[in-house]
């Protein structure tokens, strides 16, 4: 094919994201999707957005539409500086970097830190979109064991003993894909390990604010501030179409990130940053968060109830205190990719868990179920259909 | 320094963009800047933006704030498909890719095409921001001669004879930094050369619509559609803070670009794309363009008039039919970087031309002057001050 010979070496590694391929099936008419990882549009504060649109035109005028700092729109950095104090993260507005989605943050980290063959330590299973950001830089992935309480610190410590790792990638709260949350004790142990080993940890926290029950746990960033790059996102607590992520990183990481971002997109959209600045500084985020919980909690309860009611005894699943996912483990020998094909014929889609593991052969019996995009009745029906296929 | 050892090899090449450093000086109180390359905020259609904000909320509702296709928001692709026909570019909406600024397009092209040491052919001088996008992938730059009529085709042909080049990077209209426009005859010759040589050309065209005088020339894309990646931008004809660029590329380039963009930012902001879609499809772009010309033309005339009046006879400059820049060449031996330091002391900033050349030692006697950000009286004063420093 014309120009095929022009391909860079790295491009051969950029296969289409398997989950994105699965999500194409979801678009079929009548399909019930438990496959996505996208927030319900009902959770978007549309009335607030309308008000904020007027407000940014009045307050910032044409400067909300002009080129802006690569580091980020200053009123947004200031608003986040205040907001982050609740998470025990003390960062001046000058130390905050705005990114084009948290995907943009992961890309920048890959770009500045990873040479070909460098090692990144990841949870098993982990978020596939992070690997998509790192893959162009051709790293190796080293798996760290996880269980119901998240990453197993001893497994990480053993890995850091024997391998030079550029960074550890971790989702501590309501992890994608498992919905698991790293326990408080493990956070302290992990913080101790990365400080002792001189390691850098990327704490990706898009779901931390989506807590329906129980107490928030301290961020790893708050426990080891000099060793953690904290990545946040407004996609699940405002709206993903704005593409606003942010980062609090130690020097010199945040300085290199700015150099990388100059080449990536100069800066993130000024007007979406202005909307976000007003959403947070005007107190709208704080007021709207309980509304999002009010939407998601009954959906999660409906899915858990249906799992209890319909699923065969051979299956196990967790009951996360928040987030967007439930992780189901079938009996040994189950192949959820085959199950997926049958389920799609019956009109239900999900993501087979194997796609979230970096090592082939792991997670064949697992699946990720999302509940944010359907109503409670539909969720009941979907789980019933899925259980029917499983029982055959 | 902590973590300095974690740096990827490529990061050492990501020095701060010299022009961005120069632009920091511009922020000093009282400084007149001829240094920037940013559009006048007076050129932003603020009343139209207000109307479009209401319109996208009515028309698209929450879907303007949801995750969207990596390829681009379909109504924007459809609007661009129609708009591009005027440029002789016939592309279905399916063949158009939206990028986060045209910077995002250049990054994607670098990512999918450039392995370390690969060659990119560039004009001498060329746009520094493009190099910032390509640098992380560690290419070599090969210079192609240019003169008043833009890239010299014979120089390119000789280069392609002796070197394997991944792509040629070209700004055909009102080039940054020179303001020069590639002649119609050269466009046809270049098209013939790239087809004959089987080469790929990146036609970056952010300024093509900013024409104050004379007839538009055919895009190289229209003359060699299978060999050209056409990059457009709404930054100069709508507002740069929206970060909207677009690309019309041959298969398989546009397919690889989507894979790259999944890792870069998933997709460009849905709501800024929705604004852009309505701006173009609603006929606002077509109506607003003459208004932008009405703002810029007198500014350019004021600068040209002041150059005629004040500049020493040893200097030469061009009179572009549009765009944002005038290119001044001083006498041999002039060092415009030294001149820059003196000019800044007098309160005028510009960009020394040497920063736009990939080969050290070229362009020492040149400078880029921008006129979009000042009023006509200020432009007169700035050129007078600059001429005063030059005459010393």
């Amino acid at each position: 094919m014309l120009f095929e010979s022009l391909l860079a070496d790295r491009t051969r590694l950029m296969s289409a994201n398997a989950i994105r391929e699965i999500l194409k099936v979801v678009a079929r008419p009548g399909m019930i999707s438990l496959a996505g990882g996208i927030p319900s549009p009902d959770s978007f504060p549309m009335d607030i957005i309308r008000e904020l649109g007027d407000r940014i035109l009045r307050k910032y005028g044409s400067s909300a539409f002009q080129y802006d700092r690569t580091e980020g729109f200053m009123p947004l950095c200031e608003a986040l500086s205040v907001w982050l104090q609740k998470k025990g993260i003390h960062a001046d507005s000058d130390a905050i970097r705005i990114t084009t989605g948290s995907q943009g943050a992961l890309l920048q980290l890959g770009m500045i830190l990873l040479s070909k063959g460098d090692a990144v330590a990841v949870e098993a299973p982990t978020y596939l979109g992070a690997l998509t950001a790192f893959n162009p830089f051709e790293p190796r992935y080293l798996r760290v064991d996880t269980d119901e309480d998240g990453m197993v610190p001893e497994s990480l410590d053993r890995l850091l003993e024997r391998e030079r790792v550029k960074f550890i990638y971790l989702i501590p709260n309501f992890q994608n894909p498992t919905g698991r949350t790293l326990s408080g004790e493990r956070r302290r142990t992990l913080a101790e390990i990365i400080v002792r080993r001189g390691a850098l940890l990327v704490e990706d926290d898009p779901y931390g604010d989506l807590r329906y029950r129980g107490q928030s746990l301290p961020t790893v960033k708050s426990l080891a501030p000099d060793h953690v790059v904290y990545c946040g996102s407004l996609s699940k607590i405002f709206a993903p179409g704005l593409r606003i992520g942010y980062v609090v990183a130690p020097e010199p990481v945040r300085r290199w990130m700015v150099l990388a971002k100059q080449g990536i997109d100069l800066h993130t959209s000024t007007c979406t940053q202005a909307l976000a600045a007003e959403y947070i500084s005007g107190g709208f985020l704080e007021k709207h968060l309980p509304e999002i919980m009010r939407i998601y909690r009954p959906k999660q309860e409906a899915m858990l109830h249906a799992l209890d009611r319909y699923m065969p005894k051979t299956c196990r699943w967790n009951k996360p205190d928040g987030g967007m996912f439930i992780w189901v483990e079938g009996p040994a020998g189950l192949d959820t990719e085959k199950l997926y094909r049958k389920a799609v014929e019956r009109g239900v889609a999900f993501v087979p868990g194997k796609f979230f593991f970096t090592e082939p052969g792991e997670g064949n019996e697992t699946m990720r179920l999302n509940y944010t995009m359907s109503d409670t009745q539909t969720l009941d029906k979907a789980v019933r259909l899925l259980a029917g296929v499983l029982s055959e």
Side-chain angles (χ1 to χ4, degrees), chain A:
Chain A
M1 192 183 285
L2 196 62
F3 302 128
E4 199 72 48
S5 63
L6 295 179
L7 219 55
D9 304 334
R10 81 180 63 77
T11 311
R12 294 171 216 284
L13 304 174
M14 288 188 216
S15 58
N17 180 321
I19 293 177
R20 290 227 143 197
E21 295 307 306
I22 281 176
L23 292 180
K24 285 184 184 169
V25 170
V26 168
R28 289 189 201 158
M31 185 70 65
I32 306 174
S33 176
L34 312 177
I38 67 179
S40 168
D42 296 340
S43 76
F44 304 164
M46 296 307 296
D47 290 341
I48 295 172
I49 286 174
R50 188 180 309 271
E51 186 179 333
L52 296 178
D54 292 340
R55 186 187 281 231
I56 67 164
L57 284 167
R58 274 199 315 274
K59 187 165 174 179
Y60 302 111
S62 59
S63 67
F65 298 88
Q66 184 56 288
Y67 283 118
D68 198 59
R69 299 161 75 229
T70 302
E71 292 84 348
F73 188 60
M74 194 40 104
L76 177 56
C77 295
E78 287 165 358
L80 283 167
S81 174
V82 176
W83 173 253
L84 285 169
Q85 300 210 8
K86 297 181 196 177
K87 299 180 194 290
I89 297 173
H90 304 287
D92 287 345
S93 49
D94 280 340
I96 292 170
R97 301 285 173 264
I98 309 300
T99 60
T100 304
S102 55
Q103 192 72 31
L106 300 175
L107 174 76
Q108 288 171 41
L109 291 166
M111 187 179 276
I112 63 173
L113 296 173
L114 298 176
S115 292
K116 184 174 179 171
D118 281 350
V120 179
V122 297
E123 295 172 278
T126 188
Y127 170 53
L128 198 67
L131 309 191
T132 311
F134 306 147
N135 282 344
F137 312 106
E138 303 173 68
R140 288 177 299 138
Y141 297 106
L142 301 174
R143 68 185 295 295
V144 184
D145 293 335
T146 66
D147 61 20
E148 281 306 308
D149 287 331
M151 185 178 272
V152 178
E154 295 70 29
S155 173
L156 177 68
D157 201 29
R158 281 193 304 271
L159 179 66
L160 295 179
E161 170 83 45
R162 74 172 189 272
E163 291 264 10
R164 182 167 184 265
V165 162
K166 281 291 181 91
F167 59 86
I168 304 136
Y169 175 73
L170 172 78
I171 302 178
N173 295 309
F174 316 125
Q175 195 235 19
N176 184 354
T178 61
R180 291 169 184 162
T181 290
L182 187 68
S183 73
E185 193 184 327
R186 285 196 178 172
R187 287 169 197 239
R188 285 183 290 278
T189 311
L190 271 186
E192 181 273 314
I193 290 170
I194 58 174
V195 171
R196 173 163 48 81
R197 297 275 184 198
L200 186 69
L201 182 138
V202 176
E203 181 176 25
D204 190 8
D205 191 19
Y207 310 108
D209 287 315
L210 300 184
R211 176 173 280 278
Y212 320 148
R213 290 174 291 271
Q215 284 283 309
S216 288
L217 296 168
T219 57
V220 185
K221 177 73 178 171
S222 69
L223 301 169
D226 293 340
H227 290 259
V228 174
V229 178
Y230 181 85
C231 301
S233 167
L234 300 187
S235 291
K236 277 78 185 182
I237 58 176
F238 191 9
L242 301 171
R243 311 305 301 125
I244 304 279
Y246 60 90
V247 172
V248 185
E251 268 286 347
V253 175
R254 64 173 185 255
R255 182 161 38 82
W256 300 329
M257 287 182 80
V258 172
L259 294 182
K261 189 169 170 65
Q262 283 183 7
I264 290 170
D265 56 16
L266 290 181
H267 67 88
T268 295
S269 167
T270 324
C271 70
T272 63
Q273 289 189 79
L275 286 172
E278 297 308 303
Y279 181 62
I280 300 172
S281 67
F284 298 102
L285 168 55
E286 191 141 27
K287 270 183 227 150
H288 186 65
L289 262 181
E291 178 66 16
I292 301 177
M293 302 308 107
R294 203 191 58 72
I295 293 166
Y296 288 161
R297 191 167 33 214
K299 290 176 190 271
Q300 194 210 41
E301 283 164 2
M303 181 174 271
L304 288 170
H305 184 73
L307 288 165
D308 280 337
R309 186 165 170 193
Y310 303 117
M311 284 299 246
K313 296 288 171 235
T314 50
C315 290
R316 297 184 313 135
W317 56 91
N318 56 357
K319 297 178 172 56
D321 286 333
M324 300 171 61
F325 305 109
I326 291 172
W327 186 246
V328 178
E329 295 176 84
L334 180 69
D335 179 344
T336 57
E337 194 176 6
K338 275 190 194 157
L339 181 78
Y340 167 78
R341 282 192 226 107
K342 282 190 202 164
V344 161
E345 282 172 25
R346 306 280 175 88
V348 190
F350 63 90
V351 183
K354 61 184 275 188
F355 293 121
F356 300 101
F357 288 85
T358 53
E359 307 278 316
E362 277 200 279
N364 286 337
E365 74 292 354
T366 61
M367 52 189 131
R368 186 189 78 175
L369 303 187
N370 164 268
Y371 49 81
T372 55
M373 281 297 280
S374 305
D375 60 45
T376 54
Q377 275 190 308
T378 307
L379 288 166
D380 187 86
K381 181 183 169 191
V383 173
R384 181 162 46 81
L385 287 169
L386 187 59
V389 183
L390 254 169
S391 303
E392 282 164 19

